[in-house]
Amino acid sequence: GAVVDFEHWQLPLGRRFRALKLWFVLRRFGEEGVRSHVRNGMALAQHFASLVRQSDNLEVVVPVSLSLVCFRLRDRPDEVQQQFLAALRKSGRVFLIHTRLAGVLVLRFACGGIEQSKLDVTDAFNVIQQTALQF
């Protein structure tokens, strides 16, 4: 198309750049710091997934993978999922991306920000839940 989609652009991670990036991360956080960060992201993802599972209008589509939760509106077609995603983005309070799993559109919620807390995840879920009520 005529519009360039910058959403998925990033630095190419060749072997040397990946090694340099890993070196910087290990130097900054240390081995235990990296482990702690990964564990925290996984715990936050489990927290978000549990909130989604308690919801009547949302569902977790696949098992949580590390710090990524794939979810969608329950029993709604892909067109409505797209409208839901657009409404979430328009709110400016959360930013989600989507993908297709087995041909079905799903939304992706990633945990693991350096300063992300359980409260942040709960607040994001509340925005998602309130928006979901419109659909």
Side-chain angles (χ1 to χ4, degrees), residues 77-123:
D78 283 355
E79 298 77 33
V80 174
Q81 305 293 338
Q82 282 282 30
Q83 294 168 2
F84 177 49
L85 178 60
L88 287 168
R89 286 181 175 171
K90 186 176 180 182
S91 76
R93 298 181 61 202
V94 295
F95 180 76
L96 300 172
I97 61 173
H98 68 283
T99 191
R100 288 195 176 273
L101 297 175
V104 176
L105 189 129
V106 298
L107 281 65
R108 300 172 54 166
F109 185 86
C111 299
I114 296 292
E115 297 180 12
Q116 190 176 35
S117 69
K118 192 172 184 178
L119 179 61
D120 296 327
V121 171
T122 303
D123 288 347

Side-chain angles (χ1 to χ4, degrees), residues 18-93:
R18 284 193 314 261
L20 182 62
K21 185 176 177 182
L22 177 61
W23 182 80
F24 276 119
V25 169
L26 287 172
R27 182 163 179 181
R28 167 67 174 87
F29 298 105
E31 248 180 89
E32 191 50 44
V34 171
R35 285 187 189 112
S36 175
H37 176 71
V38 170
R39 285 185 194 115
N40 185 55
M42 292 170 67
L44 292 175
Q46 290 298 334
H47 173 64
F48 181 79
S50 71
L51 294 172
V52 170
R53 287 184 188 106
Q54 293 170 22
S55 171
D56 292 334
N57 52 354
L58 299 171
E59 63 182 345
V60 175
V61 180
V62 294
V64 175
S65 175
L66 292 176
S67 62
L68 180 66
V69 182
C70 294
F71 71 100
R72 63 184 275 127
L73 289 168
R74 189 181 307 275
D75 302 324
R76 299 290 194 286
D78 283 355
E79 298 77 33
V80 174
Q81 305 293 338
Q82 282 282 30
Q83 294 168 2
F84 177 49
L85 178 60
L88 287 168
R89 286 181 175 171
K90 186 176 180 182
S91 76
R93 298 181 61 202

